[in-house]
DNA sequence: TTTGTTGTTCGCAAAAGTACGAACAAAATG
DNA sequence: CATTTTGTTCGTACTTTTGCGAACAACAAA
């Protein structure tokens, strides 16, 4: 089976979509805002701010982590979450370019 | 039933999430890029550049339209789609502010 | 009126997302 | 060792998303 290699643009679109998808839920947007505003964020701190069960919060954090937007490290017995700065920068640039495009069409 | 009014921040998060969700699929990101790059975009033009069935393309367009990112008008017998400039500006600003935040935490 | 063109909507199936309680794991503490 | 604290993972139920072919609607043209 031959699979055509995807273009660089397609790869970019995929990455944008992956970040966007992770941000596609109000709770996850709010979690990011919260992490941006705090010095240090343990799971419990985050959980306290949202009306969801801890299983649900944990799942949202997992998705943000899988997308690369945040990272978590164990500080026994707690888990500390924070923004993944490197990927945050990448996301910032991708969305920056995306929205910077001139609109050519005229309706 | 009493429902607590949501905060302005919550409303903002919802709006960001709604835009992000609409952009949470590679094909939809690519559709937006395409619309940004073309003078005028009829459904057929869009359909031609994607490997999906027309029903699928139509559905993606519908979601982008529901999110407010694009608009479509009938030019019988064709349908012309384009970026919704007003909402595009809103999205640009929301994401701009979102990603402009200083990262306070330090991991 | 019949035919052709252009897209949308419908109905289906498979997959993914959302939310929760309960069970579980890991490590410190009594 | 039993207990407590902190989160993750599991299992379940329900909803939503994705993608497609087929049916349909609107209109122009033959």
């Amino acid at each position: 089976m031959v699979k055509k290699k995807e273009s660089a643009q397609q790869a970019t679109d995929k990455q944008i979509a992956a970040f966007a998808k992770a941000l596609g839920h109000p709770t996850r947007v709010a979690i990011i805002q919260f992490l941006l505003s705090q010095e240090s964020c343990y799971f419990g701190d985050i959980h306290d701010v949202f009306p969801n069960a801890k299983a649900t919060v944990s799942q949202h954090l997992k998705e943000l982590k899988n997308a690369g937007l945040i990272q978590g490290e164990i500080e026994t017995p707690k888990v500390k979450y924070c923004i993944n700065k490197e990927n945050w920068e990448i996301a910032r640039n991708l969305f920056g370019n995306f929205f910077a495009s001139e609109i050519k069409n005229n309706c």
Side-chain angles (χ1 to χ4, degrees), chain A:
Chain A
M1 196 189 85
V2 183
K3 191 178 163 194
K4 215 167 190 178
K5 196 181 168 192
E6 70 180 7
S7 70
Q9 188 54 59
Q10 281 174 326
T12 299
D13 291 350
K14 259 194 191 170
Q15 180 63 82
I16 292 176
F19 283 140
K21 191 173 183 182
L23 296 175
H25 191 292
T27 299
R28 290 198 289 271
V29 172
I31 287 174
I32 294 284
Q33 307 260 34
F34 186 70
L35 289 183
L36 284 167
S37 74
Q38 302 291 308
E39 289 277 340
S40 101
C41 292
Y42 296 108
F43 174 87
D45 303 330
I46 303 169
H47 178 224
D48 288 348
V49 181
F50 295 95
N52 308 288
K54 60 185 177 171
T56 304
V57 173
S58 187
Q59 203 168 272
H60 281 310
L61 288 166
K62 191 178 174 181
E63 285 195 45
L64 289 169
K65 200 163 108 183
N66 287 342
L69 291 173
I70 68 173
Q71 57 192 274
E73 63 181 280
I74 299 173
E75 283 189 9
T76 304
K78 299 191 179 183
V79 177
K80 187 171 165 183
Y81 280 99
C82 41
I83 302 290
N84 180 317
K85 294 187 182 180
E86 195 182 333
N87 291 332
W88 182 254
E89 195 57 35
I90 291 175
R92 187 214 303 279
N93 287 329
L94 285 175
F95 281 91
N97 289 332
F98 185 70
F99 283 109
S101 316
E102 275 303 309
I103 300 176
K104 290 223 181 71
N105 65 51
N106 213 346
C107 293

